[in-house]
Amino acid sequence: MMKKLSLFIVMLVAMTIGVKAQGHFVLPTIGYNLSDVAVSNCTLEIPGLIDLDAKDYLISRLGFSAGLNYRYEFRKPFIVEAGIYYNNYGYGMKDIKQMGTKILWNYDLRISHFSVPVMFGYKFVIGKSKIFSITPKVGLQFGSYLKVYEKYKYLTMMGEGEYDESYSFDDGFDVAEMVGVDFSWRLNEILDIFVNVNNRFSFKNIVENDYNDAKMFNYTFGANVGVKVKVGK
């Protein structure tokens, strides 16, 4: 997948060489994402009580993203875009029961994340009025997982217990593949409004202790809104 994606990006760059520029734009944007993880060899273990496959209990969590993109649009409708974002990702788990009694519940894990996406796309202007456009994009997101916030409740011999901790990643750097589509409406010569839908899949294993070859990869589906502002001539 990485080789195919890299080849496509190289082809897009090659196609834009020598094409006269149309304009520079900044795009402040904010939105939400539905975040989850793909896992393998991940188990939930409490000695003498449970030994379960984690993937049977995973559920998605709603997070947010906010940032600023810079876009370079060519006279032929290719675009190159880069941005700076702060993201909130994560996942949850269903309540775990033993003989009808909850032994672990309200599990919620959140991850703060900083990213620099680099995207290439092609702008399709729709209709004679040239007000509406659709821009599919593909690229890579370079980023770093910053901090984890983990919280859940569990059953103890003395009753109900609660775990609520935060900790930093030892090595949070990651690379993710990204695809997205912008749906834009032109308001005037300087300003557009747009809605972006996107999908990302990180190649970093976020299980820091890879005992038993455990793997966990974060992925998201997102929707953002923003404005595109022309800068300079």
Side-chain angles (χ1 to χ4, degrees):
M1 177 62 73
M2 280 290 291
K3 290 182 179 179
K4 291 181 180 179
L5 187 58
S6 299
L7 178 60
F8 183 62
I9 292 173
V10 170
M11 290 173 63
L12 282 174
V13 173
M15 292 169 70
T16 62
I17 293 176
V19 181
K20 190 174 181 180
Q22 180 179 341
H24 304 266
F25 301 86
V26 292
L27 297 83
T29 177
I30 189 168
Y32 289 94
N33 63 72
L34 196 63
S35 178
D36 209 332
V37 286
V39 301
S40 62
N41 299 320
C42 283
T43 58
L44 304 170
E45 297 182 16
I46 299 178
L49 281 179
I50 60 170
D51 184 2
L52 305 172
D53 192 336
K55 68 182 178 182
D56 295 331
Y57 290 85
L58 294 172
I59 54 177
S60 302
R61 283 288 188 252
L62 194 64
F64 69 89
S65 296
L68 180 70
N69 286 341
Y70 162 75
R71 177 183 291 184
Y72 190 54
E73 289 191 2
F74 297 90
R75 193 167 299 281
K76 289 185 179 180
F78 298 103
I79 69 105
V80 179
E81 193 171 283
I84 300 175
Y85 278 77
Y86 177 81
N87 313 289
N88 176 255
Y89 299 139
Y91 65 93
M93 286 196 299
K94 303 173 186 176
D95 295 348
I96 299 173
K97 298 180 180 181
Q98 182 75 6
M99 300 181 64
T101 301
K102 289 193 297 186
I103 58 175
L104 191 152
W105 63 98
N106 291 358
Y107 184 90
D108 186 38
L109 184 141
R110 303 287 179 170
I111 309 171
S112 59
H113 183 269
F114 172 82
S115 67
V116 178
V118 179
M119 307 289 285
F120 301 88
Y122 191 93
K123 180 179 176 182
F124 296 92
V125 179
I126 310 299
K128 293 182 180 180
S129 65
K130 297 184 179 180
I131 294 175
F132 179 65
S133 64
I134 299 175
T135 308
K137 302 183 293 186
V138 62
L140 296 175
Q141 181 201 64
F142 303 93
S144 180
Y145 292 105
L146 303 175
K147 204 164 188 179
V148 179
Y149 305 86
E150 188 175 13
K151 185 176 182 178
Y152 58 87
K153 293 183 178 181
Y154 59 94
L155 187 65
T156 72
M157 295 296 293
M158 303 298 293
E160 180 181 302
E162 183 172 9
Y163 180 88
D164 189 351
E165 297 290 341
S166 64
Y167 49 92
S168 299
F169 270 83
D170 292 333
D171 177 16
F173 178 77
D174 83 305
V175 179
E177 63 175 345
M178 289 196 74
V179 294
V181 182
D182 286 357
F183 301 92
S184 300
W185 292 264
R186 187 180 184 187
L187 300 181
N188 53 48
E189 292 292 330
I190 297 176
L191 189 66
D192 292 25
I193 59 173
F194 69 90
V195 175
N196 168 270
V197 292
N198 60 79
N199 167 241
R200 63 174 279 280
F201 190 98
S202 173
F203 299 109
K204 179 179 179 60
N205 180 15
I206 60 175
V207 177
E208 293 191 294
N209 180 7
D210 57 354
Y211 171 74
N212 198 30
D213 198 31
K215 299 277 191 287
M216 180 177 288
F217 304 97
N218 179 239
Y219 64 92
T220 57
F221 296 94
N224 300 328
V225 296
V227 294
K228 186 180 79 170
V229 183
K230 189 171 184 178
V231 293
K233 294 183 179 179

